[in-house]
Amino acid sequence: MDIRIGNGYDVHALAPGLPMWLGGVQIPSENGFVAHSDGDVAIHALCDALLGCLALGDIGHLFPDSDPAWKGVDSKLLLARVVDLVHAKGYKVGNVDITIALQRPKLAPHIAAMRAALAPILGVPEDCVSVKATTTEHLGFVGRGEGCEVWASALITK
Ligand code: MG
């Protein structure tokens, strides 16, 4: 079996009055992410992990923020395109693991919805989609509520 792994990382700044999309679901919050797309920083990190498996570059390269086609785009569509690239190379997604660092709101009530949103796009059962959340104990830019940081790992098989 041909097995490949990849990792991804992304950060978005928070600002008041914007929608907060994270892991494919909208989170009730007074703040949302500043972005060219819908700002779903978790999906962006996940896309980069999948692209990293196949050394296909990064989503900034694939979906440049200079291109008006991606303005306000639903990041789930970007993820679907990346999964298409994985399939085109003859691979399927094995499992993914995502860690989200956000001071608030608490994400625990939304983890199940994120896994349910991502699994069908990835073409895997929900138990192959791990989403974890942490605060940074009020330390750093995440802790000050200035932004959100996400790490993602992915494994694909042929
Ligand atoms: Mg991003």
Side-chain angles (χ1 to χ4, degrees):
M1 184 187 285
D2 184 350
I3 298 173
R4 292 190 172 218
I5 62 167
N7 72 85
Y9 170 74
D10 198 21
V11 170
H12 277 265
L14 285 161
L18 295 172
M20 178 182 282
W21 284 95
L22 206 47
V25 302
Q26 190 166 9
I27 310 292
S29 171
E30 67 270 31
N31 294 320
F33 299 119
V34 180
H36 185 70
S37 68
D38 67 4
D40 192 324
V41 57
I43 287 186
H44 296 175
L46 177 56
C47 286
D48 271 358
L50 290 165
L51 292 169
C53 291
L54 292 166
L56 289 173
D58 57 58
I59 58 165
H61 173 75
L62 235 59
F63 312 111
D65 62 10
S66 54
D67 186 340
W70 311 120
K71 177 126 186 69
V73 70
D74 180 344
S75 292
K76 292 189 283 297
L77 298 177
L78 305 183
L79 179 59
R81 289 232 186 171
V82 168
V83 172
D84 283 346
L85 291 175
V86 170
H87 291 164
K89 292 275 189 180
Y91 290 83
K92 61 186 176 59
V93 177
N95 71 297
V96 302
D97 186 18
I98 299 166
T99 300
I100 303 169
L102 183 69
Q103 192 59 44
R104 68 188 170 88
K106 292 288 184 202
L107 295 177
H110 307 290
I111 297 290
M114 292 184 203
R115 295 175 66 205
L118 297 175
I121 305 171
L122 295 164
V124 299
E126 286 179 32
D127 67 359
C128 292
V129 180
S130 166
V131 179
K132 313 188 298 293
T134 184
T135 71
T136 61
E137 301 290 344
H138 300 283
L139 296 171
F141 71 87
V142 170
R144 290 189 297 271
E146 295 168 5
C148 177
E149 201 170 21
V150 180
W151 298 261
S153 300
L155 182 144
I156 62 174
T157 63
K158 187 193 278 193

